[in-house]
Amino acid sequence: MKSDNARAGMQQAPARSLFNALGFTPEEMKKPMVGIVSSYNEIVPGHMNIDKIVDAVKLGVAEAGGVPVVFPAIAVCDGIAMGHIGMKYSLVTRDLIADSTECMAIAHQFDALVMVPNCDKNVPGLLMAAARLDLPTVFVSGGPMLAGHLGGQKRSLSSMFEAVGSYEAGKMTEEDVEEYVNKVCPTCGSCSGMYTANSMNCLTEALGMGLRGNGTIPAVYSERIRLAKHAGMAVMDLWRKGITARQIITKESMLNALTVDMALGCSTNSMLHLPAIAHEIGFDFDISFANPISEKTPNLCHLAPAGPTYMEDLNEAGGVYAVMKELSDIGLINTECLTVTGNTIGENIKNARNLNPEVIRTVDNAYSKTGGLAVLKGNIAPDGSVVKRSAVVPEMLVHEGPARVFDSEDDAIVAIKGGKIVPGDVVVIRYEGPKGGPGMREMLNPTSAIAGMGLGSSVALITDGRFSGASRGASIGHVSPEAAVGGPIALIEEGDIISIDIPGLSMNVKVSDEELAKRKEKWQPREPKVTTGYLKRYMSMVTSGNMGAVLKAPEV
């Protein structure tokens, strides 16, 4: 056992005395030690129930012959951090989570791990750690929130943000907004649409790192407690069989996850996180892989914010396995990939059924023949940009209009809410990328304000920052290279005509190469927005959005 490095032999007698101080029995000292990474805290609604999930995992591990040992991972609630300096500290936690888990797992020589994440950065951060550590590992999330109910319709967090935009436009009263406040987020769990947290938890199933239902069983269902117990049992089975994370997280399983992403219509943030996870196994995941996979993958689901269905509906319809079965039947899934069940994807999904073709459309009745995401390139984004095309209204798939240029999200919000943005405009928000932000803030406030003010079918937004999974409309993010390193988005001027062609996978500013070259000569780097603390260190090491915003040591 790996844990013998910390417990066995005369040299480790001092360590055994410390295990003794922890209350370990002699019998436990002979069993495999399983680290349970708990993302529990009392500030994130998606994590407030994780203590119960962890307790269930501990029972499963102990029942199967292991010794469960809990240690923590941090988590930021993006919804609470949104719209102020706190959002700069969201994406950056992904690497802190991966690094701190690596530290704890190696320092204490755990034999296996169960990861218990839920929200946006915890899932990819812990997947990065799992790939890096290459131990027997199983994921079990805290589960999604139930949808709210208001006016006879289901609602979610994106409805809340759009209500604020409607209020600013005079379409809702303060009392209307307060009713939304009280009803759109009714339970614990990750927010109820196909936002980033739920996207990544579903993709964990597609990767093979989570048991069936990991992405979709609601947080408040007792079924999730049973799932957690089985996760604890499953990790012990993996340990006995010698199956480790890198046998499951492979190039082939990563491409399976990207395929399922396209069918589900996942958050654009998956195009930051999948490359970062791939980086840990040495797979150079180019975001442009999205386009050929999207071209052959039908979009089968329109969950909020793209449509009126929610995670609870996807769960009842058969969940991720039912989606994968639809895709497998037309040859789009590599069924030989290994999973945490000890079986292959093909064995896992062979009996899956689509129980509601209105929630999971069949391949011959897909929302579109192409997938939910697209990577656009052109003279604004030579290294790529990402749009959730499944959440774009048809009239905005091709758009041309004048640039309205802002050097921060805050300035753009003032203009939008002040009525300065009109139909046809293309809002450009720059210096919000991984380095320029720093931290690549999500921009749910401006996208929701645009939608709430009735401009969602006539105004586009492009940025070197990123969007919440709750964003919808012609919102194009991750523009690379970013403005802070002199990318072409930094050269756009007020009134320049921007042409967006999502089906054609292109985005360009109608300015000659010669003019752009002249502007480039005059461009000067901006003073850093942050000069102290963790963000300063992050800024010096982070790569571009198209590379997954992974950290690399600065060149000497």
Side-chain angles (χ1 to χ4, degrees), residues 22 28 53 81 184 202 213 223 294 342 546:
L22 289 167
E28 287 175 317
I53 303 297
V184 299
C202 287
E223 185 181 357
S294 180
N546 70 296

Side-chain angles (χ1 to χ4, degrees), residues 255-273:
L255 295 179
N256 272 349
L258 184 54
T259 301
V260 174
D261 186 317
M262 294 298 169
L264 285 172
C266 289
S267 163
T268 52
N269 281 313
S270 64
M271 297 305 290
L272 277 177
H273 301 322

